[in-house]
């Protein structure tokens, strides 16, 4: 389908879809440029024809948003330049701009997501459902649109209540398990079942505080890992917001009996890697390394401590 666009007092076109994307990547067509194609009632600014959130919910799973044009493309049609995804059609223009001393184009449109950021308009229930669904099912599209800044209160307001709900279900299942164990023939009540109900209830009451402290500690460790891996392209707030939306959404998987903990643990890592890559606009490999680095350090540290302890006890036994 052919496009037409306004340049000053002149009307340019027709141009093909690929040529249209190239003009956007080159900056010839901006968000304010009037455009038209067959089927449109009137000319309209590009930002209205292709708003920042356009296609976020309809793009096929796994497709990636081009930084220059704002359109989604399959992974095989995406190239990464300095960690940012661009469509193959936009690559030539972007590289030409770099060689001429220019900067890489900024992300297309305005980051305004996820839906929780618009809960005043959507309603809390709808905004929560769309955010959880987006993080769990379409993390690439969701975090490509996530606001990098805007305060810590909004992501905390999402993480703490939904993280609390998931934790309450975990504590409930734990209480049921302890109760079943204590009712088996020949089994004594396992510690701490005699104080289990008050203990679990107390943990549920205190959990919002634990989640609050844990969010800053967890996001802080993650951002430090990003700095070590040279992937911290955005400030701590961006990492914090990603952390809260991922942890709050994946916590809802804890409501699944028996295997909820395992599913949550695995999918939280997957969503965090994708979210960090999209929020900081770095390669997926670098994001994976940053997310897994704390676990790697702990494992290596534990292994070294185990070796040291083994050598120490061997030497002690040798003296005897």
């Amino acid at each position: 389908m052919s496009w037409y666009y306004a340049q000053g007092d002149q009307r340019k076109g027709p141009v093909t879809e690929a040529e249209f994307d190239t003009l956007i990547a080159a900056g010839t067509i901006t968000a304010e440029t009037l455009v038209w194609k067959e089927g449109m009632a009137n000319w309209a600014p590009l930002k209205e024809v292709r708003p920042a959130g356009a296609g976020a919910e309809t793009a096929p799973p796994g497709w990636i948003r081009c930084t220059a044009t704002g359109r989604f493309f399959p992974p095989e049609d995406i190239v990464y330049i300095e960690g940012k995804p661009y469509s193959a059609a936009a690559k030539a223009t972007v590289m030409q701009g770099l060689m001429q001393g220019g900067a890489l184009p900024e992300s297309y449109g305005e980051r305004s997501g996820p839906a929780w950021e618009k809960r005043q308009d959507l309603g809390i229930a709808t905004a929560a459902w769309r955010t959880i669904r987006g993080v769990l099912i379409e993390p690439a599209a969701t975090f490509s649109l996530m606001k990098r800044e805007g305060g810590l209160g909004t992501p905390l307001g999402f993480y703490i209540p939904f993280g609390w709900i998931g934790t309450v279900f975990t504590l409930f299942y734990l209480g049921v398990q302890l109760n079943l164990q204590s009712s088996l023939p020949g089994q004594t009540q396992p510690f701490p079942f005699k104080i289990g109900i008050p203990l679990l209830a107390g943990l549920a009451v205190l959990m919002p505080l634990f989640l609050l402290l844990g969010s800053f500690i967890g996001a802080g460790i993650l951002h430090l890992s990003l700095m070590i891996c040279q992937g911290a392209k955005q400030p701590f707030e961006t990492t914090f917001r990603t952390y809260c939306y991922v942890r709050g959404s994946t916590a809802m998987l804890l409501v699944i009996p028996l295997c909820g903990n395992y599913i949550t643990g695995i999918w939280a890592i997957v969503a965090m890697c994708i979210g960090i890559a999209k929020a900081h606009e770095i390669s997926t490999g670098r994001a994976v390394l940053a997310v897994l680095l704390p676990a790697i350090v702990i494992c290596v540290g534990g292994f070294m401590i185990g070796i040291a302890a083994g050598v120490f006890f061997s030497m002690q036994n040798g003296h005897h």
Side-chain angles (χ1 to χ4, degrees):
M1 182 173 292
S2 298
W3 284 89
Y4 297 82
Y5 63 98
Q7 194 171 58
D9 296 331
Q10 299 181 347
R11 298 292 185 263
K12 301 283 188 176
V15 296
T16 65
E17 192 81 30
E19 292 171 332
F20 190 69
D21 288 341
T22 301
L23 290 169
I24 295 173
T28 303
I29 298 176
T30 68
E32 304 297 332
T33 301
L34 293 174
V35 299
W36 181 87
K37 66 177 179 179
E38 185 178 351
M40 293 176 55
N42 298 297
W43 288 70
L46 177 66
K47 64 182 180 182
E48 295 182 8
V49 177
R50 289 186 183 174
E57 297 184 359
T58 59
W63 282 37
I64 301 171
R65 181 186 288 273
C66 172
T67 303
T69 66
R71 296 182 60 207
F72 284 96
F73 295 87
E76 58 269 22
D77 290 343
I78 290 291
V79 293
Y80 287 88
I81 304 174
E82 294 189 6
K84 295 183 178 182
Y86 295 92
S87 65
K91 177 183 176 182
T93 302
V94 172
M95 293 303 297
Q96 182 180 4
L98 281 175
M99 288 187 292
Q100 293 175 349
L104 284 172
E106 294 297 326
S107 297
Y108 174 80
E110 177 187 0
R111 285 176 171 258
S112 58
W116 186 254
E117 302 281 342
K118 312 183 193 84
R119 61 195 179 282
Q120 291 84 358
D121 299 324
L122 298 174
I124 292 179
T126 300
W129 165 246
R130 290 186 181 180
T131 300
I132 294 169
R133 183 188 64 183
V135 172
L136 296 181
I137 300 176
E138 298 178 335
T142 298
F143 288 102
S144 292
L145 296 173
M146 186 196 72
K147 292 174 65 175
R148 294 195 181 102
E149 298 179 348
L152 306 182
T154 297
L156 271 177
F158 176 82
Y159 172 50
I160 291 179
F162 293 108
W164 181 81
I165 292 172
T167 303
V168 167
F169 271 90
T170 300
L171 294 174
F172 171 75
Y173 294 142
L174 177 60
V176 171
Q177 180 183 6
L178 291 173
N179 184 52
L180 291 175
Q181 288 178 356
S182 65
S183 64
L184 292 175
Q187 295 290 325
T188 58
Q189 288 185 331
F191 179 81
F193 183 70
K194 291 183 179 180
I195 59 171
I197 294 177
L199 175 63
L200 297 179
L203 287 174
V205 172
L206 293 175
M207 190 52 60
L209 177 61
F210 296 153
L211 292 173
L212 176 63
L213 296 176
S215 64
F216 284 96
I217 294 173
I221 293 173
L222 178 55
H223 196 71
L224 177 60
S225 296
L226 278 167
M227 294 173 65
I228 293 173
C229 298
Q230 298 182 340
K233 305 299 184 182
Q234 305 296 331
F236 168 75
E237 182 177 344
T238 301
T239 305
F240 183 85
R241 295 172 71 86
T242 305
Y243 182 92
C244 286
Y245 283 124
V246 169
R247 299 294 294 181
S249 297
T250 55
M252 299 309 297
L253 297 174
L254 292 170
V255 305
I256 303 174
L258 301 178
C259 60
N261 281 321
Y262 301 104
I263 297 174
T264 300
I266 294 171
W267 199 244
I269 293 174
V270 173
M272 192 71 75
C273 291
I274 296 173
I276 287 296
K278 298 303 179 184
H280 284 266
E281 294 187 348
I282 59 177
S283 66
T284 303
R286 193 179 296 272
V288 170
L289 178 59
V291 171
L292 297 181
L293 182 60
I296 294 172
V297 171
I298 292 174
C299 290
V300 172
F303 180 72
M304 297 301 294
I305 291 173
I307 292 177
V311 171
F312 174 77
F313 285 116
S314 297
M315 293 177 63
Q316 290 293 105
N317 293 332
H319 286 305
H320 293 294

